[in-house]
Each structure stands twice: as C-alpha cells, then as structure tokens.
C-alpha cells in the first residue's frame, strides 16, 4: 500500500472535492477531517470516504454550499437544519455554536438533522475539550438504510449510532472515547473488503443469520450490536437510545425512507468545566486518573493499560511522522477521480 504524508492527502482531498463543485472552504474542511481520521487510525472514516462523498454530491444526496439554518433556539439550545450539506461542515459549525452558548450559560445542547455523513464523531467533542469543556456527540443514520441487527434478530433495524465524549486534561493526547454501538463500525467491514482481508468472527451475520468472517456477506446480512451474540442487548439498548436522541428528538424519525438518502442526525452537548470545578485542577486530576489507570499491573499477554484515546494519540504521532498507508483500491479510486478532473499531474498521480 502506498504511504502518503498527511498534507498531501489533504491537498488531494481538497482538490478532488473542488473539481466536483464543492466550495473551497468546505472542501478544505472535509479534507481536514477525513485526513485527521486517518491520522488517528480510523481509516474507515478517512480518505476511503472521499469517492463516496463525491458520488453523493453527483447524485444530489449531499448539497455543497447548503445553508446552515437555525429553526429553533434558546440561550442553551439550538435546532439546526443542515439542508443536506456536508456533515463535517454542518456539524463543526453546530458544535462551535454550542460551545459559544455553553461559554455564556455553562451548558448547551444542539440537535442537527438533514446533513450528510458526519464522519469520525470524536471530531466534535474534541473541539469542546480544547475550549476547556466536556464535549459529547451522539449520531444515528436518520432514516438511511440500516446496518445493525437488534439483539436476537438477523435483519438490520438500527444504525451503528456512534457515541463520543472528550474531556480536557493535561495529558499529551486527548482523554476521549469514540465507538459505535454496533460490534464494529460499518466502515471497518468495508475497509476489510477493500483490502481483501477477513473480519473477526462476531462482527457480522450473513443473510441466513450465521456468523461469518467474509466481509462481502454484509450484503444481505447485518452487523451485530455491541456485545455480539452473547451480550448484544447492551449495544442494542445504546443504539436504541441513540435513535431517540438523534432520530426522534431531531425530528428525522426512525426506519428507512425509500430514497435511501444518507441523513445523519446528531445530538451535541458542551459542558463548561469551570461551572463545577476550577479548570486547571480538573485537567490535572483527569491526567492523574489516566496515570493511575496506566499504573495497573498488566494482565498476562498484555502490554499494559491505555487510557481512553491513547491508541489514537499514538497512531497520530506515528502517522504524522511516517505517513499514512492507503489501500491500493482506495488509491486507485482517488487516481481515477484525479484523471477525470484533469488533476493527475497537479496531484502527483502521473
């Protein structure tokens, strides 16, 4: 697989998006977010998504330059209609507005509906953490086609409905959680398929309800909820609550509407730490807590305990220095888009 520096990937993403009618500022925002996902080791939400986003633009499922419309608000709450804009663009602006309200009122929340794929969900709580706040984001797939079977079932009825929280601290990296309420994110199955790899048993059931290690059998099958075949009721409950906060509370609803248009719903919160504790003290104590966890004697066969977010921090440092590996199938798609846009030489694909 080719290994590419982050800055070059950002330029490739920005140029390809602009060649397909995306305004420069939005193209730069989307490219920054997808490459940041790659840097953090979340390749399923990285540049592999660019061809998908561009196809959604071409068919009208994502609207470049869509207006950011506030349809209802109070000093502590906001309801945002994204008008089918890029999820990264709409949600980043919604989170910034939520942070600004929390700065004045100590806590603020926002719902967002009618937007494209929001990508790596941690992107938004991390904005709050940098502002000295605890940030939370929850997302569902609105009424897009579903991918997760509820516990005890074999047909998809739920989205992967990820949940992310980030906390300010004095650690070198963010103290952050970000995970799907399914056994795995759908993108990781698609990534394994693109790389010709098997998937772990317990991620997917095929159309007959049997566990499979073949990522292609997700077609007609479904992801299992977090907890898998044994304790998937836990993931099902979390996913169901995600549907309530991000589908029903936002007004998107649940189930699947006929067009299949992807429309992530989001619920965002920002909590000002200073409303409860001195920020400097809080940051230090979170770091102390993380070190307390890491000082746990390792289990047999383990290299030790990592605090939430440490895996991503390590990946980011390594990939920023060494470059990001891009699977051949994705690189070929990016090259094809560059050729179609007359950008082969400019982007170094020649």
């Amino acid at each position: 697989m080719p290994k590419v520096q982050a800055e070059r990937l950002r330029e490739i993403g920005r140029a390809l998006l602009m060649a397909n009618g995306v305004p420069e500022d939005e193209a730069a925002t989307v490219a920054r977010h997808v490459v940041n996902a790659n840097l953090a080791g979340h390749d399923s939400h990285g540049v592999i998504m660019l061809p998908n986003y561009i196809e959604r633009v071409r068919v009208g499922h994502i609207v470049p330059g869509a207006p950011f419309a506030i349809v209802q608000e109070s000093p502590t709450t906001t309801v945002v209609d994204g008008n089918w804009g890029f999820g990264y663009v709409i949600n980043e602006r919604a989170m910034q507005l939520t942070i600004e309200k929390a700065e004045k009122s100590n806590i603020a929340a926002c719902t967002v509906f009618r937007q494209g794929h929001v990508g790596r969900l941690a992107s938004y709580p991390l904005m709050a953490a940098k502002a000295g706040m605890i940030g939370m984001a929850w997302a569902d797939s609105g009424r897009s086609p579903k991918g997760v079977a509820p516990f005890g079932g074999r047909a998809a009825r739920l989205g992967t409905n990820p949940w992310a929280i980030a906390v300010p601290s004095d650690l070198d990296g963010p103290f952050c959680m970000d995970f799907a309420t399914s056994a795995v994110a759908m993108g990781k199955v698609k990534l394994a398929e693109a790389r010709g790899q098997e998937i772990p048993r317990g991620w997917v059931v095929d159309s007959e309800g049997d566990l499979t290690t073949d990522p292609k059998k997700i077609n007609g099958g479904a992801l299992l909820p977090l907890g898998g075949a044994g304790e998937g009721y836990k993931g099902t409950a979390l996913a169901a609550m995600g549907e309530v906060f991000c589908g029903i509370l936002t007004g998107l609803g649940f189930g699947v509407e006929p067009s299949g248009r992807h429309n992530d719903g989001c619920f965002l919160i920002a909590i000002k730490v200073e409303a409860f504790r001195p920020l400097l003290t809080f940051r230090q104590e979170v770091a102390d807590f993380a070190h307390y966890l890491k000082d746990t004697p390792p289990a047999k066969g383990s290299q030790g305990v990592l605090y939430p977010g440490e895996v991503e921090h390590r990946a980011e440092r390594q990939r920023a220095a060494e470059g990001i590996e891009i699977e051949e199938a994705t690189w070929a798609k990016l090259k094809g888009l560059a050729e179609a846009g007359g950008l082969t030489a400019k982007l170094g694909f020649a």
Side-chain angles (χ1 to χ4, degrees):
M1 295 189 289
K3 188 173 282 191
V4 188
Q5 289 296 319
E7 188 52 43
R8 184 184 174 201
L9 282 178
R10 291 189 193 100
E11 174 53 26
I12 289 172
R14 187 185 68 83
L16 294 180
L17 288 163
M18 289 178 62
N20 286 274
V22 180
E24 184 173 4
D25 59 337
E26 292 193 358
T29 296
V30 175
R32 168 169 50 83
H33 278 287
V34 296
V35 174
N36 283 350
N38 282 120
L39 284 169
H42 291 268
D43 294 324
S44 58
H45 290 64
V47 295
I48 192 174
M49 293 300 298
L50 285 173
N52 187 301
Y53 293 159
I54 289 169
E55 178 59 24
R56 293 181 191 183
V57 169
R58 288 174 175 172
V59 301
H61 283 199
I62 292 177
V63 179
F68 178 92
I70 296 174
V71 298
Q72 182 176 327
E73 69 175 327
S74 75
T76 59
T77 60
T78 317
V79 178
V80 173
D81 181 349
N83 286 296
W84 304 111
F86 278 100
Y88 277 130
V89 173
I90 300 297
N91 236 41
E92 181 177 272
R93 186 169 171 183
M95 192 67 195
Q96 185 57 46
L97 178 59
T98 305
I99 291 167
E100 290 169 4
K101 288 192 173 187
E103 186 62 43
K104 296 177 182 177
S105 302
N106 296 327
I107 185 168
C110 178
T111 58
V112 188
F113 66 97
R114 293 207 310 170
Q115 63 180 332
H117 182 242
V118 297
R120 183 193 174 207
L121 198 60
S123 301
Y124 313 110
L126 287 170
M127 292 170 60
K130 289 178 181 177
M133 300 183 187
I134 297 171
M136 189 193 88
W138 211 339
D140 81 340
S141 55
R143 297 185 65 196
S144 308
K146 303 301 181 183
V148 183
F151 184 67
R154 70 180 188 188
R157 290 291 185 275
L158 297 165
T160 54
N161 298 4
W163 188 23
I165 299 174
V167 177
S169 78
D170 286 342
L171 295 164
D172 290 337
F175 193 88
C176 177
M177 75 170 218
D178 179 8
F179 56 80
T181 55
S182 53
V184 67
M186 180 66 77
K188 291 189 177 181
V189 178
K190 296 299 184 182
L191 188 66
E193 183 178 352
R195 292 178 173 176
Q197 299 170 342
E198 288 192 340
I199 56 175
R201 194 173 183 83
W203 280 11
V204 169
V205 289
D206 63 19
S207 60
E208 300 300 317
D210 295 319
L211 295 173
T212 179
T213 60
D214 183 354
K216 294 187 180 68
K217 291 189 176 180
I218 188 67
N219 300 312
L223 295 172
L224 288 174
L226 185 68
E231 296 190 332
Y233 57 89
K234 297 177 181 178
T236 296
L238 282 170
M241 290 300 178
E243 295 280 352
V244 171
F245 275 86
C246 306
I248 296 175
L249 188 63
T250 62
L252 278 174
F254 62 92
V256 179
E257 52 97 7
S259 76
R261 190 174 194 172
H262 193 103
N263 50 89
D264 283 350
C266 277
F267 181 74
L268 308 171
I269 291 180
I271 302 169
K272 188 176 179 180
V273 171
E274 287 279 6
F276 300 91
R277 297 286 310 283
L279 178 59
L280 294 179
T281 303
F282 179 85
R283 289 174 57 95
Q284 182 59 59
E285 289 185 5
V286 172
D288 291 344
F289 173 58
H291 293 306
Y292 167 75
L293 293 177
K294 288 181 64 62
D295 286 342
T296 305
K300 287 185 178 179
S302 168
Q303 295 183 353
V305 173
L306 302 178
Y307 62 80
E310 188 173 2
V311 169
E312 289 84 352
H313 178 57
R314 290 183 176 187
E316 184 173 356
R317 287 189 302 177
Q318 180 177 355
R319 290 179 171 204
E322 300 176 4
I324 299 165
E325 286 190 339
I326 306 299
E327 55 280 356
E328 293 286 355
T330 298
W331 193 245
K333 288 180 181 180
L334 296 178
K335 183 177 181 180
L337 288 168
E339 291 171 352
L343 297 169
T344 303
K346 179 181 178 181
L347 297 179
F349 283 106

